[in-house]
Amino acid sequence: MTSSLIHSTRTTQPTRNVVLVSIDWRRPGDGKTSLGIASIAATLSAAGIRYQLVESTINELSFNLEREQVRIQQALDDMGPHTLLGFGVFVWNDEAICQLMSRLLLPAGTSIVLGGPQISYMPAGRLEAAYPQAQWFVRGAGEHAMLRLAQGASSDGCGVHVAGEPDQAQQASLPLNGLASPFMHGVVQMAPEIRWETQRGCQFKCSFCQHRDADGRQPTRAFDLERLRAEAQMFAAHRVKRISILDPIFHSNDSHAIAVLNLLKHAGVSAQIALQCRFEMLTEPFLNALQGLDVTLEFGLQTAIPSESRLIQRSNNMPKVEEKLALVKQRGIDFEVSLIYGLPTQTLDSFQRSVNWCQQQGVPRVKAWPLMLLRGTPLYEQKSQYAMRETEGLAIPLVLASDSFTEAEYRAMASIAEAL
C-alpha cells in the first residue's frame, strides 16, 4: 500500500484541483503505480494542476475499504471545494468503487469522474443507472479528458459523456503525441522491474479482449519517439533489469517496433525485455532488429484448435504459426506461448491437445490462463449462448462451466495449467 502523493506547482492556480484514486490489481513485477493513472497524473503535473494520488492494491490481504474511504476523504478535504474526484473503474474494483462513492462526503462543488475499461465498454445509455453518483464519464484514454475538465476547457474529442445528456458512446480520439511521461515527471519511480508502453490499442478484434478500440475507429496509437527515447535513456541510467512492454502486439507496425528497438540499443538498455507478439506477423527485419537486446517474445496463441480460434475471432493460421515458430527457434530467441482455458466449445480433451501441440513444437514455456468475461466484449454478451457459468464472490469472475465442459472438467484444465 502506498501513501498519497501530492504535487504542487508554481504556476497559476487551475480551475479545479484533482484527486485520483487507483485501486489496482497488482501482479509480480508491477510497480507501485499503474501506468494508466500515472499517465493522467503526469499530464496534470505538466500543466501545473495540483493533485493527490491515492493508491491501494485490492488483491493484498491488507486491503481495507473503510481505510481507503478515510484516505480518500482526507485527500478531498485537503484539496478543498470544487475538486474533481477521478476513479479508474476495472472489473476487480467496480463494486468497491460503487461502495466508496455512496459513502464519501463530497466537499461543496466536488464532482466525480469515472474512466477505465468498465466505463469505456459500457453500452450507450447505461452509465447513469450503473453509477448514479458520477457527473462525468470518460471512454478511452483519460489524460486529455481529466486535464480539460480540470481547466474548465472544451472536452471535444476526449470521450467525455456528461451525466443526464444524450450518450453518444464516443471514445477519446485525440493523439498520444506530446503527453507527459510518468517516468520523466517522477510519478512512476524507477525500480528493477517496470512496465512500459510504446503504443495503445490493437488492430484485431478477439472476442474476449478489451485491448481493441471500443468503437473500432483507431486500432492503434503510438507515443512519439522523442518521449520513448528519453524514457529509454532513463531506464539505462537506472540499470533497470526487466522491462515488460504492455503493447498488445508490439510489432503491429514494423517501422515503429524497429525504431523502438533501435532506440533501446542506442540508449544502452541492458534489461531483459518482454514483448507481446503474434507469430503470423513476424518479419525478417523485425527479427533482425532484436539482435543486441535481451528479449523474450510472448505469443498469445490462446488455442491451437482452429475451430476454437475462429469462434473467438482469433483465427490462427497454424501452418504459418509453425513456420514462424521454427524461425524463432532457429535464431535462438527466447519465447513463450500462452493459452486460455474455458473457451466456448472447448473441452478438456481439446485443451489438452493445445498443450500437446505446444510441447511437440518445443515451446520452452507454456502458460495457460482461465477465461474472463469482460464488459463490452462479444463473449460477455454470449454468456447465455454457450451456457457459461462464472465463479461467484471473486473480484475477477472466471468461467468455470459451459455447455462444452463441466465444472469438474474445468478443475482438471486448471490442474493442467498449474502444472505448466
Side-chain angles (χ1 to χ4, degrees):
M1 185 114 27
T2 60
S3 59
S4 299
L5 179 65
I6 304 179
H7 284 246
S8 299
T9 69
R10 301 174 185 173
T11 57
T12 304
Q13 180 71 12
T15 304
R16 307 185 79 162
N17 296 330
V18 177
V19 173
L20 296 172
V21 179
S22 174
I23 302 176
D24 208 3
W25 182 285
R26 294 205 175 96
R27 299 160 293 175
D30 282 349
K32 293 190 297 182
T33 304
S34 68
L35 274 185
I37 205 80
S39 186
I40 295 173
T43 300
L44 296 174
S45 177
I49 290 174
R50 185 167 175 259
Y51 73 89
Q52 287 199 40
L53 178 55
V54 182
E55 304 171 273
S56 59
T57 303
I58 200 168
N59 58 321
E60 283 185 352
L61 291 177
S62 60
F63 179 80
N64 179 278
L65 194 63
E66 287 70 28
R67 184 166 59 244
E68 294 314 303
Q69 179 184 341
V70 171
R71 295 176 68 223
I72 298 166
Q73 192 71 60
Q74 182 62 57
L76 288 171
D77 293 342
D78 289 347
M79 300 303 267
H82 305 290
T83 294
L84 288 180
L85 173 58
F87 291 95
V89 191
F90 296 81
V91 63
W92 58 78
N93 66 21
D94 199 323
E95 183 178 346
I97 286 173
C98 287
Q99 291 184 50
L100 285 169
M101 288 192 294
S102 66
R103 297 176 185 178
L104 289 166
L105 300 176
L106 301 184
T110 294
S111 303
I112 293 176
V113 187
L114 301 183
Q118 294 293 91
I119 306 304
S120 296
Y121 292 93
M122 178 71 89
R126 297 189 192 174
L127 285 168
E128 286 90 341
Y131 310 100
Q133 298 90 350
Q135 285 73 48
W136 284 296
F137 304 91
V138 180
R139 288 186 169 98
E143 292 91 344
H144 291 291
M146 287 303 294
L147 175 60
R148 293 193 181 176
L149 288 173
Q151 293 173 329
S154 168
S155 57
D156 289 348
C158 297
V160 174
H161 165 59
V162 182
E165 295 187 1
D167 185 358
Q168 306 299 324
Q170 292 181 347
Q171 297 286 320
S173 58
L174 298 177
L176 302 179
N177 280 350
L179 286 180
S181 163
F183 299 100
M184 306 301 291
H185 279 264
V187 182
V188 175
Q189 301 299 313
M190 286 293 98
E193 298 185 32
I194 63 166
R195 299 190 183 273
W196 192 37
E197 57 179 351
T198 79
Q199 61 186 340
R200 293 178 186 169
C202 184
Q203 68 202 80
F204 296 102
K205 297 181 178 180
C206 302
S207 63
F208 56 86
C209 184
Q210 284 182 329
H211 278 303
R212 74 203 197 294
D213 191 53
D215 60 8
R217 291 179 302 151
Q218 298 188 98
T220 58
R221 287 180 287 173
F223 290 94
D224 52 276
L225 291 178
E226 291 76 14
R227 163 180 159 159
L228 299 177
R229 184 175 294 107
E231 291 176 332
Q233 290 167 350
M234 180 178 256
F235 302 156
H238 285 82
R239 298 181 180 178
V240 172
K241 297 186 181 302
R242 179 178 171 85
I243 302 171
S244 297
I245 298 184
L246 301 180
D247 307 6
I249 300 179
F250 174 71
H251 59 125
S252 58
N253 179 311
D254 243 25
S255 61
H256 172 78
I258 291 169
V260 172
L261 294 171
N262 286 335
L263 66 83
L264 286 167
K265 283 185 271 192
H266 292 155
V269 171
S270 59
Q272 181 188 32
I273 302 168
L275 308 172
Q276 298 184 60
C277 299
R278 181 162 179 157
F279 280 116
E280 298 98 319
M281 299 175 68
L282 293 176
T283 66
E284 290 285 345
F286 171 73
L287 292 174
N288 291 337
L290 297 174
Q291 295 177 10
L293 292 169
D294 180 6
V295 298
T296 294
L297 306 186
E298 300 177 347
F299 296 100
L301 186 70
Q302 319 313 353
T303 174
I305 309 303
S307 61
E308 293 173 3
S309 71
R310 285 194 298 270
L311 191 146
I312 59 172
Q313 299 176 48
R314 176 63 177 82
S315 257
N316 293 317
N317 182 337
M318 294 310 293
K320 179 69 73 175
V321 167
E322 293 180 9
E323 173 192 328
K324 299 292 186 176
L325 188 153
L327 276 179
V328 173
K329 289 169 60 181
Q330 241 172 44
R331 289 170 175 258
I333 299 170
D334 186 57
F335 74 102
E336 62 186 47
V337 170
S338 62
L339 304 171
I340 294 178
Y341 59 95
L343 296 171
T345 73
Q346 190 178 52
T347 64
L348 173 57
D349 175 69
S350 72
F351 175 62
Q352 183 65 67
R353 282 188 281 135
S354 285
V355 173
N356 292 346
W357 178 89
C358 291
Q359 293 170 337
Q360 290 160 6
Q361 293 293 322
V363 176
R365 290 183 305 283
V366 184
K367 298 180 178 179
W369 310 102
L371 176 65
M372 297 177 288
L373 300 180
L374 303 175
R375 177 178 293 171
T377 63
L379 280 189
Y380 182 88
E381 304 298 332
Q382 295 170 336
K383 288 183 194 180
S384 58
Q385 180 179 343
Y386 297 105
M388 293 182 184
R389 186 158 55 85
E390 296 173 279
T391 54
E392 296 179 1
L394 296 181
I396 303 180
L398 308 174
V399 174
L400 56 76
S402 75
D403 57 7
S404 63
F405 61 89
T406 65
E407 189 170 340
E409 289 167 330
Y410 171 85
R411 288 196 296 270
M413 289 190 277
S415 294
I416 293 170
E418 181 69 22
L420 292 173

